[in-house]
Structure formats: C-alpha cells, structure tokens
Amino acid sequence: MAEEPLLVASALEAVFPSGDGVGPIDLVVERGESLLVVGPSGSGKSTLLRMLHGAVPHAVPARTTGRVAVAGREVGVHGMASLADAVGVLAQDPESGVCMPDVEDEVAFPLENLAVPRDRIEPAVAAALERVRASGLRARRTTELSGGELQLVALAAATAADPPLLLLDEPTSMLDGDGVRAVRAAIAELRTRTGAAHVLVEHRLDELAGDEGLVALPPRWLVLSRSGRVLHDGPPREMGAPLLRRLLAEGCWLPLELELRALLDADAAEGADAVEGRAIALALSDAAAASAAPPPAAAPVLRARGLAVAPRDPFARRSARRPPVLEGIDLDLRTGETAALVGANGSGKSTLLTCLAGIARPRAGTVEGARAGLVFQHPEHQFAARTVRAEIAHGLGPGAQGRVEAMLARFGLAEHADRDPHRLSGGQQRRLSLAAMLVHERQLLLADEPTFGLDRRGTIEALRALREAAGRRAVLFSSHDLRAVAGYADRVLVIAHGRLAADVEPLALLRDPALLAAAGMRPSRSLRRLATAVRHPAHLQRALRALDDRAMQASMAAAAEAPR
C-alpha cells in the first residue's frame, strides 16, 4: 500500500477581524517533499504556516474553515502541543519564540517537552547546533545574540527532535552569507537523513539558491496573490510571463532569473546565462544614459572617535559585563551621502547603531553631532501609539497632518491607517517604522536592516526613500543584502574582527574576495558579472537602479492592465 501523505489540507481558509486572510487552499505534501510558498507582503504566507500547525486559530484568533491533518492527526482537534513531535517550526521573528536564557537550554527545550531520555538530549543538542554551524554559540546567553545568531539557534531548536515536517518562515532573513549556506545545508541534510518534508517561506531566493540558480530551490511553488488566493501550484518554470509580471506588479520577490524573464519577455527556451547577459547589457546601457552622480557630501553631521561598544545583557551583573564587540571605531557621517554598514552575524552592527543613536552608552570614545532617528531591526520595539496614523504623527507638533497623510500614501499604509501597528504583517510594520522616522526630517537617519521582511516593491521603495532622504540628511543603514548595498550606498563600512576593517565604495568591496569573506557576504553570480563589466563605481550603482526601475515600470504596467 502507498504511504499516506504527510500533510493534507482541504478548503483551508482564515479570516481575521480586519478582513485580511488567506485561502481557501487545498494542499497535499508528501514525505520528503520541498514546497516554497511565494507571495507579496500581506498575502498570508505566515498565516498559512501558522494554520498548518494550529497556531491559527488556537493561539492567534481568526475565523477558520476547512481542515488540515499532519501525520494523520487533525490539527483542529489535537492542537499545537500534540503535534510537537511531528512539526518543527521556525517563526519569522525568532526572538518572539525564545523561551530560555541560555542557548543550550533553548535547543534542549523541545526535546525535554517530548520526554526524550536525558542521556540522548545532550548529543541531540550538539548535533542540532553543529547542523546549522552554530556550535560556537552553545555556551552563550540568548539575550547576547544578534538577530542572525538567534535565527540559527531557533533553527537548531526546530530541528533538534528530527520532526518529519518543518515549517520555516524566512529562515535566512537575518543571516550573513555563511548563515544562508548553513540553512541550505541543514535542510538538505535532514531531507537525506530523515526524509523530512519542509514548507518554506523565503524572500532571499537568489542567496538561498547560490550559484546553482533556480534548480537549487524547491521544485514546487505555491504562489499566493495579494488577496491570499492560490495563483499557481507547481514547478516555477511553468509560470508564464503574464503570471510573472503579475507577481512583480503585486510586489513579489522572484529569483533574478525569473524576474529577468518577465522584464525581457524572454522565451522559455532561452538559457539563463543568455537572459542574464542581455539584462546586464541593458542595465549598463540605461546606466550610461542616467544622470550624473550626486554632488559631493557636505561636512560631517556625526563624528565618532575611539568608540568601543558592547551589547547590553539585561540579566548580567555590572561586574560581569561582556567585553566590547567593537573597539577603536572612527567614522564620519555626512549630509548628502548614504552609507551602508555590513558585517557577519554577531559582529556588532546593531550595537553600533544603537550607540550612534544615543540609546546605548559607549564603553569608551565619543560620539558628537546631530540627534539621530533610528529604525529598529524589530519594528514593534519602537511602536508607541495605538493606530498606524498616530504612530507616524507621534512626536510631531500641530499642523503636521499633511505630512502624516503623505507618508501613509507613500508607504502604502493609507488603508491601514486606523489599525493597531502590532496587528500588521511584518512587511507592513517595517514600512510603518520607516515612515515614522522619515517624517521627522532629522539630520541623521540610522536604519537597522530596513528592507528585512519587505517584498520586492517595498524593498525598492524603502531604498529609494533612504536615497531621497540623504539629499537633506546623512543616512546609515545596515544590511546583508549586497544588491541593495551596491545599488543604493555611496560608501560601505565593513565591520570585521572587532574593528572597522574598511570604508570603501561598493564596487571595491565586490572586487575584493578577502574583504567580502571578512564581512560574511557572497555576491550572486549576476552581481559578480555586473561588477566585472562596469568601468566606474557610479556605473554599478546606476545599472542596479536601472534594473529596479524596469521592475517598477513593469509592476505598474501590469497593475494597470489587471482586471478590476
């Protein structure tokens, strides 16, 4: 007899009080199968994963219909706890799911809940951390970890018990290049060793695929529309140009190969290398016709000298404070320029930004200059109001209503203006955090991973907003997205080995393998080809923005043609 499917969902649908929702969806996942869920921000991808293991509606209230069963157990009947041996879950924000103060205990926790014998827990914890290349974090406290380090620990905890089904919500969103490769290897190892299936939501598709391209991604895609309906269920290469253009119009992230096919209306028979070559030639042509580089930056608005910074551990005694993660930092930030801050997970990027913003005190050195606005890595940590409109208006004086409404429109938040910020999707929260800081027009804007959680259109719009803001202020943003850094930063500050290792133009970074390795970054094949083809640093920036311009133009054209 044929083995029954691992997961079966029929007419599965969720509707929240706001009217947002996802479904209805019919879905069958076989043992060992890989499924990628694709869709724009707000389409319900995370909600779907939560429904598959019962968090919706058991923990997150919603009106649900249909049924879903995992390993023969009805999720609606058994609930989340009874499925703990069958499903491993990595949430979009790993910080929200951490229970224990120590890494070892965090990874052991799901094993203890399943009453795994004590003598088997220690080797299982060691194996899970080794699988995601995070053995060096075992003795650390979870409160000390960077977002990327915490994401690896959360993945180790989700896989420690070898569940037959993994639900992974953007597992690489906060990771450097080594971390992305670790996730890819861990998923492959579990499939080979245990036959585990996985359902994956991911934006960083080119990074996850690596140089192998589309064939390295799951062979089956479930594509959702902005309204949460299924547009496609099958191999990605079966999606024609009209559907690809619609996905671009809705702001969906696509691997570069598929995006270029949509932009160039390429025939399916044309090879990926040929399509990429045509696109690069077109981008270079657009770059040559683009306007000249902006005028030189002005005098510094912020100066840091001899700075030493350390992350704050709320559980540590003052006498047991951690040593600095960064020392001897000298940097200037100037009006008129956009700078990017890059470095491996745990290198101290977020800690440095909070220090420059005046939120954390330095261990040594000085910071002088304008008061900064800081966009947090986790947007919900900075929300202070009960509605989206009030959050943007927070701290503004009278007569600012016009600016508030303009920001609501610019970041696609007008229809959510009266909603609670904490009820928005992750991408919507990120757009709100940017809008709430940009509206203040301070001389210095700091942004920690400002494109994290955004769809393709939202990413371009956020990066454009940062560039425009730099016309009136200094901007510094951290990122693991090398394409965003190369396209929108004038200079790159590279953090490595506890120091500011380099202050270079993006093209110089792309052409320096040793510096890339120190920063924990690996450019995509197409970005490497483009960096080889350009003659001047400004050409690289303009060529990448030209590709983004074409993506936005195709998006708007497809949106205009879509049926109302």
Side-chain angles (χ1 to χ4, degrees):
M1 294 179 63
E3 192 173 28
E4 69 177 26
L6 178 61
L7 183 149
V8 179
S10 58
L12 193 62
E13 185 172 17
V15 180
F16 294 98
S18 65
D20 294 338
V22 62
I25 292 174
D26 295 316
L27 183 64
V28 175
V29 177
E30 304 289 346
R31 296 176 187 272
E33 188 172 9
S34 299
L35 175 67
L36 176 67
V37 182
V38 176
S41 176
S43 60
K45 303 184 296 298
S46 297
T47 297
L48 173 60
L49 262 58
R50 291 170 184 149
M51 294 177 75
L52 297 182
H53 71 102
V56 174
H58 293 300
V60 181
R63 177 172 56 82
T64 60
T65 54
R67 58 176 291 273
V68 58
V70 176
R73 285 174 259 176
E74 292 280 346
V75 173
V77 174
H78 289 272
M80 298 166 63
S82 299
L83 293 168
D85 64 321
V87 184
V89 180
L90 177 63
Q92 187 180 58
D93 179 6
E95 188 179 77
S96 65
V98 170
C99 303
M100 311 299 289
D102 298 306
V103 167
E104 186 171 18
D105 290 342
E106 179 67 23
V107 181
F109 190 57
L111 299 167
E112 294 168 344
N113 280 341
L114 293 172
V116 173
R118 181 176 299 178
D119 62 342
R120 289 171 48 195
I121 290 179
E122 192 278 334
V125 169
L129 287 168
E130 175 63 27
R131 183 183 302 128
V132 299
R133 303 179 189 177
S135 297
L137 302 177
R138 184 169 179 172
R140 298 272 299 277
R141 298 178 70 85
T142 54
T143 52
E144 298 174 349
L145 301 182
S146 71
E149 290 171 330
L150 200 59
Q151 196 160 35
L152 289 175
V153 170
L155 179 60
T159 61
D162 288 344
L165 176 64
L166 294 173
L167 304 177
L168 307 174
D169 197 351
E170 297 196 47
T172 73
S173 59
M174 301 180 185
L175 297 181
D176 58 21
D178 288 340
V180 173
R181 288 193 291 276
V183 169
R184 185 168 62 233
I187 293 172
E189 189 268 342
L190 284 167
R191 287 188 68 202
T192 301
R193 181 171 57 83
T194 70
H198 67 274
V199 180
L200 170 71
V201 172
E202 185 56 73
H203 281 164
R204 298 176 66 187
L205 297 175
D206 285 313
E207 290 93 333
L208 187 63
D211 282 351
E212 295 178 63
L214 200 58
V215 296
L217 296 175
R220 178 185 173 195
W221 289 21
L222 183 74
V223 181
L224 302 180
S225 69
R226 186 169 293 279
S227 60
R229 301 301 179 97
V230 176
L231 295 176
H232 175 81
D233 184 353
R237 292 191 187 277
E238 292 183 0
M239 293 188 288
L243 176 55
L244 293 174
R245 283 193 290 270
R246 174 175 176 177
L247 295 178
L248 282 178
E250 295 201 342
C252 188
W253 273 111
L254 296 173
L256 187 58
E257 177 185 338
L258 294 183
E259 180 176 309
L260 295 179
R261 287 187 181 279
L263 296 179
L264 301 177
D265 201 18
D267 187 272
E270 188 174 359
D273 284 346
V275 172
E276 188 178 88
R278 280 211 291 142
I280 288 174
L282 194 61
L284 291 174
S285 174
D286 288 344
S291 59
V301 296
L302 180 139
R303 298 175 66 111
R305 293 293 182 267
L307 209 58
V309 299
R312 177 177 173 269
D313 183 355
F315 295 99
R317 300 185 307 274
R318 185 172 180 85
S319 60
R321 293 187 307 173
R322 290 187 65 200
V325 292
L326 291 174
E327 293 185 282
I329 302 295
D330 295 336
L331 63 88
D332 294 341
L333 298 175
R334 299 177 177 86
T335 299
E337 71 177 4
T338 303
L341 182 66
V342 303
N345 289 133
S347 60
K349 300 185 299 298
S350 297
T351 302
L352 177 58
L353 288 173
T354 57
C355 184
L356 296 178
I359 296 174
R361 298 181 65 179
R363 290 286 180 85
T366 60
V367 179
E368 298 176 350
R371 180 188 176 196
L374 174 63
V375 178
F376 286 31
Q377 188 178 79
H378 300 278
E380 68 276 12
H381 291 179
Q382 68 189 79
F383 293 153
R386 295 189 175 184
T387 69
V388 169
R389 178 180 281 108
E391 181 64 33
I392 296 176
H394 185 73
L396 297 177
Q401 187 61 31
R403 287 160 57 195
V404 172
E405 296 302 320
M407 282 293 174
L408 286 168
R410 177 173 189 174
F411 285 91
L413 296 168
E415 62 183 296
H416 307 292
D418 296 321
R419 291 183 60 186
D420 184 335
H422 294 90
R423 298 293 183 183
L424 301 178
S425 72
Q428 291 164 343
Q429 288 184 340
R430 173 62 64 195
R431 298 203 304 271
L432 174 58
S433 66
L434 278 167
M437 279 300 150
L438 285 170
V439 76
H440 284 277
E441 299 183 347
R442 290 177 180 146
Q443 283 184 276
L444 176 61
L445 177 66
L446 308 173
D448 197 357
E449 297 281 355
T451 62
F452 161 54
L454 294 181
D455 59 22
R456 178 74 170 109
R457 183 195 294 171
T459 294
I460 295 174
E461 290 175 342
L463 292 169
R464 284 179 172 179
L466 292 176
R467 284 295 303 185
E468 182 182 320
R472 304 179 302 279
R473 68 193 94 184
V475 173
L476 174 65
F477 71 95
S478 68
S479 182
H480 289 298
D481 183 350
L482 198 45
R483 182 173 172 181
V485 169
Y488 293 87
D490 301 307
R491 50 191 280 238
V492 187
L493 309 177
V494 182
I495 298 295
H497 312 301
R499 299 280 176 174
L500 180 58
D503 183 347
V504 297
E505 292 178 321
L507 184 58
L509 173 61
L510 286 170
R511 290 178 173 175
D512 189 335
L515 194 55
L516 284 168
M521 307 188 88
R522 178 174 173 78
S524 66
R525 181 183 62 182
S526 58
L527 194 52
R528 295 199 303 271
R529 286 183 65 178
L530 185 58
T532 301
V534 298
R535 297 181 179 179
H536 188 274
H539 294 162
L540 173 68
Q541 192 178 81
R542 296 204 295 266
L544 287 168
R545 288 196 220 164
L547 286 174
D548 285 351
D549 289 344
R550 286 183 175 270
M552 292 296 282
Q553 290 164 9
S555 170
M556 290 185 288
E561 295 170 1
R564 301 293 178 183

